[in-house]
Amino acid sequence: MTRKPQQRSIATRARVLQAARDLSRRNGLEGLTAEAVANEAGVAKGTVFSHFGDMDGLLSHVLLERLDALRAGASEGPVPGALPPDPVEALMQRIMALIAVITDSPTILRLFLDNIGVTKANCAAEFVETLDALDAELATFLELWQGSDSLQPALRKDRLPSELVDGLIAFMIHGAILFKSHQITDKAVLEARLRRHVEAYLLQA
């Protein structure tokens, strides 16, 4: 039986996305081109753009796997409903894990920065939703920390958790740029520097 056009379109889109994933695993993201993906998937170059708009649209779907893996590993850092014994350490684990993801290549860092604040038209909605979910999980953790009378060190209470998240994102982006521009090449040194900033920013005087 001949498949309906919609079914063929869904299958083609899935084949293109899988080709992009396979190529990125083998060769990295920097060499990922529409031509290479089209050849790998056995489709025309125009088919890639018809399904994903542009290469950033396609890459945002590829990167979803990495962001989803980061969320799945949330048990190693701050998670909703959990109050770790050392909240600063838990927070730094999450910050450094995200820095590791977005500094894996210049493409990932650029795509991440492009979608902070104003989302590019062709980016996967799930990509942006995952970034928002990471922010929301962090805000929930900070809210629990603020509300705890026993967790030490105490978190400042003169700002909303959402406002504190904005500042932490700024620190994280700054750290990612320092690392990717080779101003700091040792992640342990970077973490120690960011920890000092985070403690000065978050902790109650």
Side-chain angles (χ1 to χ4, degrees), residues 36-80:
V37 173
N39 289 336
E40 181 81 6
V43 301
K45 179 180 173 181
T47 301
V48 175
F49 295 127
S50 69
H51 282 285
F52 295 97
D54 58 21
M55 283 303 294
D56 279 358
L58 177 57
L59 286 169
S60 69
H61 283 83
V62 173
L63 295 179
L64 265 173
E65 287 186 335
R66 304 190 187 191
L67 290 178
D68 287 341
L70 183 63
R71 289 194 68 195
S75 59
E76 299 177 2
V79 293

Side-chain angles (χ1 to χ4, degrees), residues 31-127:
L32 197 63
T33 65
E35 291 86 352
V37 173
N39 289 336
E40 181 81 6
V43 301
K45 179 180 173 181
T47 301
V48 175
F49 295 127
S50 69
H51 282 285
F52 295 97
D54 58 21
M55 283 303 294
D56 279 358
L58 177 57
L59 286 169
S60 69
H61 283 83
V62 173
L63 295 179
L64 265 173
E65 287 186 335
R66 304 190 187 191
L67 290 178
D68 287 341
L70 183 63
R71 289 194 68 195
S75 59
E76 299 177 2
V79 293
L83 290 174
D86 186 343
V88 175
E89 176 61 25
L91 184 58
M92 290 307 303
Q93 286 180 7
R94 172 59 66 90
I95 289 174
M96 295 306 296
L98 187 53
I99 286 176
V101 170
I102 67 175
T103 59
D104 186 52
S105 77
T107 297
I108 296 178
L109 180 57
R110 179 185 58 76
L111 193 61
F112 179 84
L113 294 175
D114 280 351
N115 286 280
I116 293 177
V118 179
T119 304
K120 295 187 71 174
N122 292 318
C123 255
E126 299 91 340
F127 179 80

Side-chain angles (χ1 to χ4, degrees), residues 47 73 154 156 164:
T47 301
R156 63 188 293 183
L164 296 177

Side-chain angles (χ1 to χ4, degrees), residues 6-40:
Q6 183 179 9
Q7 292 175 320
R8 291 199 298 272
S9 178
I10 293 172
T12 299
R13 178 184 174 87
R15 192 162 73 250
V16 169
L17 181 54
Q18 189 58 51
R21 287 170 174 160
D22 292 343
L23 285 170
S24 70
R25 292 190 189 102
R26 292 202 303 265
N27 307 320
L29 290 171
E30 301 316 303
L32 197 63
T33 65
E35 291 86 352
V37 173
N39 289 336
E40 181 81 6

